[in-house]
Amino acid sequence: MADQFDPQGTSRLYWIDTIAGIASGTFAPTVAELTAAVRLDCYVLPDGFEGLSQEPGYTEATTMCDTAQRFVRGLATTNNGSLTLTRASLSGDAGTTIFTGLKADEGKSGWLVELLAGSGTAGTFASGDLVDVYGVQLTTVMPSRTAGVKRYMVGFAARSAPVLGLAVLT
């Protein structure tokens, strides 16, 4: 049977402002970069990670000789995304520090890195663990006025296609 997983409680999500290997074409973060990153998953609501997916692209290629419409592969479109996080009410809480840090990072480019379930389940990670990397620009950090737990939404503009299934580097 295939290795299937529910990310709830096991996957980790990080905000990293820099991945050193990007300049050389290596999108995988290092253990040190993940250690220094801002961990978000303990504040993200279960259905609060949306977008940053890709849609296939098609270009019409019908000619005057065709008797039916014809398409060829076009450029894929990467959708923008958002995170919905719970907001802390105490100034010393880690959730307040995350909110303040993300608010200060509005307009900055960086990387959302998802450490997949089964990797780093003890809250740590090692070289070889699998991650998905999303190149984004943090666009907005806005409070949400919904009932229930206090929350806020963080908007991201996709800067590149996601790079999936990378192994964390030493």
Side-chain angles (χ1 to χ4, degrees):
M1 176 181 251
D3 174 24
Q4 299 171 341
F5 65 92
D6 178 354
Q8 181 69 37
T10 56
S11 287
R12 306 286 183 250
L13 188 63
Y14 299 90
W15 167 247
I16 299 178
D17 57 0
T18 236
I19 295 177
I22 294 294
S24 63
T26 304
F27 287 83
T30 64
V31 169
E33 288 167 338
L34 284 172
T35 300
V38 177
R39 184 173 169 190
L40 302 172
D41 54 277
C42 288
Y43 293 90
V44 176
L45 296 172
D47 60 352
F49 186 8
E50 297 185 21
L52 299 178
S53 59
Q54 284 196 299
E55 302 289 332
Y58 304 98
T59 301
E60 186 172 356
T62 309
T63 67
M64 292 294 290
C65 292
D66 291 322
T67 58
Q69 198 171 24
R70 192 167 57 92
F71 294 89
V72 295
R73 179 178 182 227
L75 296 175
T77 301
T78 303
N79 298 314
N80 295 325
S82 66
L83 294 175
T84 304
L85 296 92
T86 59
R87 187 164 177 196
S89 63
L90 302 174
S91 63
D93 186 84
T96 299
T97 303
I98 290 170
F99 174 81
T100 304
L102 290 172
K103 191 74 177 148
D105 282 350
E106 279 182 318
K108 291 184 181 176
S109 293
W111 308 90
L112 283 176
V113 176
E114 184 176 15
L115 182 70
L116 302 180
S119 297
T121 53
T124 60
F125 26 78
S127 178
D129 285 345
L130 293 180
V131 294
D132 291 343
V133 178
Y134 304 88
V136 297
Q137 180 183 28
L138 197 157
T139 58
T140 56
V141 177
M142 298 294 296
S144 175
R145 302 286 181 223
T146 58
V149 67
K150 190 68 175 168
R151 60 187 74 191
Y152 62 100
M153 182 176 284
V154 180
F156 295 98
R159 292 186 305 125
S160 61
V163 184
L164 309 175
L166 297 173
V168 173
L169 302 173
T170 303

